[in-house]
Amino acid sequence: MKKTTKQAWMIASALTIGMAVFTPHQAGATSVKASNEITVKAEQQMKGTIKSIDGDGLMIKGKDGKNYYIGIQKFSDEQIEKMKLVEGQEISVEGNLVQDYSDFYTFDVYKKSLPNEITKEDLAKLEKLFNQTKKLEKEGKYEEVEKINLEMEKITNPYILASWVPVSFEKFIEEYGFNEKNIVIKEQDKKQLKAIYEQWIKLEKSGKGEKALEKFDEFQKILQPYLDALYPPVTFDDYISDMELDIPAEALPKLKTIYKDAQKADADKNDQLSEKLWNEFNEMINPYMKPLSFEEYLSDFDFEIKAKDQKQLKQLYEEAIALDKKGDYEKSNKKWVAIDKILNPYYEANKEILISASKVTINGKVYLPKH
């Protein structure tokens, strides 16, 4: 269950005000090895239907029945926009098989977002550092990767800051959406916020990152009451009413107390206490949650399961749900492990084939990466 938290520093990021942020590796990318049985030749054509779109990646069901993840990072944002990608569309792709999601993120992809003013000398330095990060990532040396990231930022930041044109204070405040809820910022507060915002811009422009962060804190402190009004905490009654639960009356007072305490811990930024309380709340509420039927559970899979396995899965699933409801998690965990054991061969057989696209044909138009 996802816990309810108060809206934090909403647009206090450089991206929001037009300042680009670059990192030399794709954060949170999942490492998935391609199956040994997969044989996709370089530049082999693949045709299929778009199942889903995720930024610069496409999930495609191939005409051959296989699942594909197509990386279109080589194409410009303008090209991707012109493709007018929509779920259910037929698409034809040519490209190279890659072994890992991180392989989509090459230096050519990284440098697309760099300012045009960057020199060839600095570009060469960045490429060398970028290649080091890729090697270290594969070795799992993430602390060393982070150190190199900082080196790369030292090279790119001066260019980014030089080309950065921040939005006006009025535009920045407008982006929060206070007007949509008729929340009016007092003139005195607005005057203070504007002065702090302009000081923050100067500090960022001069590369004084730590002092700029301090200004962010000042800005947030003044703005926080307005953010609280814009995103009021969800009450316990509203939270519970949005869920299909059958909670006995005697359990409600304790649940309500823990819920309020967890919200207060969030507001106080007491992360340790917050995590403890939300875990306690979730454990208490889990037995009252209506579980999915086996048929609903099965419908989430986009592959067919043999009748024999379905029969076994249904028995295990219903036993696991019953044990979870009783709070006997040690026994239920064994059932879930048994379920995974049956499903794992299906996951493996339906694993996505990863292809970095070098040619896309859609809606009768052909797209090639711009170099």
Side-chain angles (χ1 to χ4, degrees):
M1 181 186 299
K2 190 176 180 180
K3 68 182 184 182
T4 305
T5 56
K6 185 165 57 179
Q7 177 72 14
W9 183 221
M10 180 184 164
I11 312 181
S13 72
L15 275 173
T16 310
I17 55 176
M19 177 180 172
V21 175
F22 306 107
T23 54
H25 66 283
Q26 190 175 19
T30 308
S31 177
V32 178
K33 297 292 181 185
S35 169
N36 292 331
E37 297 176 6
I38 296 169
T39 54
V40 179
K41 296 178 181 178
E43 302 305 314
Q44 179 177 331
Q45 188 179 68
M46 186 281 302
K47 293 183 179 180
T49 305
I50 298 175
K51 289 168 59 182
S52 63
I53 304 159
D54 178 21
D56 50 12
L58 308 173
M59 287 287 299
I60 291 177
K61 190 71 174 181
K63 296 285 187 185
D64 56 8
K66 294 178 181 177
N67 295 316
Y68 293 85
Y69 181 87
I70 309 297
I72 52 176
Q73 292 86 349
K74 292 177 183 176
F75 297 85
S76 68
D77 292 341
E78 292 77 17
Q79 285 179 304
I80 294 172
E81 189 176 347
K82 286 179 180 177
M83 289 179 192
K84 298 188 185 302
L85 301 166
V86 178
E87 291 179 18
Q89 276 182 315
E90 295 289 314
I91 190 169
S92 176
V93 174
E94 289 182 23
N96 298 314
L97 175 71
V98 299
Q99 298 296 309
D100 190 283
Y101 283 100
S102 64
D103 294 334
F104 289 119
Y105 197 61
T106 63
F107 183 71
D108 283 338
V109 174
Y110 164 72
K111 73 179 183 181
K112 279 198 310 181
S113 300
L114 292 173
N116 295 328
E117 295 79 10
I118 198 160
T119 65
K120 288 183 179 179
E121 183 183 1
D122 280 341
L123 208 56
K125 288 179 188 176
L126 286 168
E127 185 167 13
K128 184 179 178 182
L129 291 167
F130 181 91
N131 290 334
Q132 286 179 32
T133 66
K134 300 296 282 185
K135 183 175 180 292
L136 291 167
E137 279 177 346
K138 289 187 184 296
E139 295 170 359
K141 298 177 180 177
Y142 300 112
E143 285 186 14
E144 291 181 44
V145 169
E146 206 54 46
K147 289 177 184 176
I148 296 177
N149 284 353
L150 294 174
E151 287 184 54
M152 295 179 76
E153 285 174 14
K154 285 178 184 177
I155 297 171
T156 58
N157 278 350
Y159 293 100
I160 295 166
L161 291 170
S163 61
W164 174 37
V165 180
V167 298
S168 67
F169 168 75
E170 289 72 21
K171 180 68 176 174
F172 182 76
I173 286 293
E174 186 184 321
E175 292 294 326
Y176 281 91
F178 291 121
N179 291 340
E180 293 169 17
K181 291 196 176 180
N182 297 318
I183 297 169
V184 180
I185 300 174
K186 294 175 184 176
E187 281 304 316
Q188 186 180 346
D189 287 340
K190 191 179 285 187
K191 188 177 179 181
Q192 262 189 295
L193 287 166
K194 185 173 184 178
I196 294 170
Y197 179 78
E198 289 171 354
Q199 289 168 32
W200 175 79
I201 297 293
K202 288 179 183 177
L203 289 167
E204 283 287 5
K205 278 282 190 182
S206 59
K208 297 176 182 176
E210 286 186 19
K211 288 187 177 180
L213 284 174
E214 289 175 12
K215 284 297 167 187
F216 265 133
D217 290 339
E218 285 183 44
F219 195 96
Q220 182 179 7
K221 191 174 180 180
I222 296 169
L223 200 65
Q224 193 61 52
Y226 299 102
L227 289 172
D228 290 341
L230 186 64
Y231 301 100
V234 178
T235 66
F236 174 76
D237 292 335
D238 285 344
Y239 185 81
I240 292 296
S241 66
D242 285 342
M243 307 169 71
E244 290 185 24
L245 299 169
D246 185 20
I247 303 175
E250 60 270 19
L252 286 170
K254 188 176 180 182
L255 275 171
K256 190 170 186 176
T257 299
I258 296 172
Y259 182 84
K260 286 183 175 180
D261 289 346
Q263 283 190 321
K264 186 176 184 305
D266 285 339
D268 295 340
K269 297 182 180 178
N270 189 336
D271 295 337
Q272 191 173 353
L273 179 60
S274 170
E275 184 177 359
K276 176 181 175 294
L277 289 169
W278 283 118
N279 285 340
E280 189 178 342
F281 181 82
N282 289 337
E283 283 178 16
M284 285 186 66
I285 211 169
N286 276 342
Y288 308 118
M289 294 184 71
K290 184 181 177 182
L292 291 175
S293 68
F294 177 70
E295 289 68 29
E296 289 172 320
Y297 171 74
L298 209 62
S299 69
D300 282 340
F301 302 112
D302 60 356
F303 47 77
E304 284 190 35
I305 297 173
K306 294 175 184 175
K308 181 183 175 183
D309 288 336
Q310 277 196 40
K311 185 177 179 181
Q312 198 174 351
L313 283 169
K314 183 173 184 178
Q315 183 180 339
L316 288 166
Y317 179 80
E318 290 173 351
E319 289 172 354
I321 292 296
L323 289 165
D324 278 339
K325 200 168 181 65
K326 290 179 184 176
D328 195 343
Y329 300 115
E330 189 176 341
K331 287 184 181 177
S332 72
N333 187 54
K334 291 178 182 178
K335 301 293 180 183
W336 289 116
V337 169
I339 287 171
D340 286 341
K341 192 174 180 181
I342 296 170
L343 289 173
N344 281 341
Y346 290 97
Y347 288 133
E348 191 65 28
N350 289 276
K351 189 182 289 184
E352 299 154 4
I353 301 170
L354 311 181
I355 295 180
S356 179
S358 55
K359 180 180 177 181
V360 170
T361 305
I362 190 164
N363 295 324
K365 294 182 180 178
V366 177
Y367 296 88
L368 300 170
K370 292 179 181 178
H371 298 288

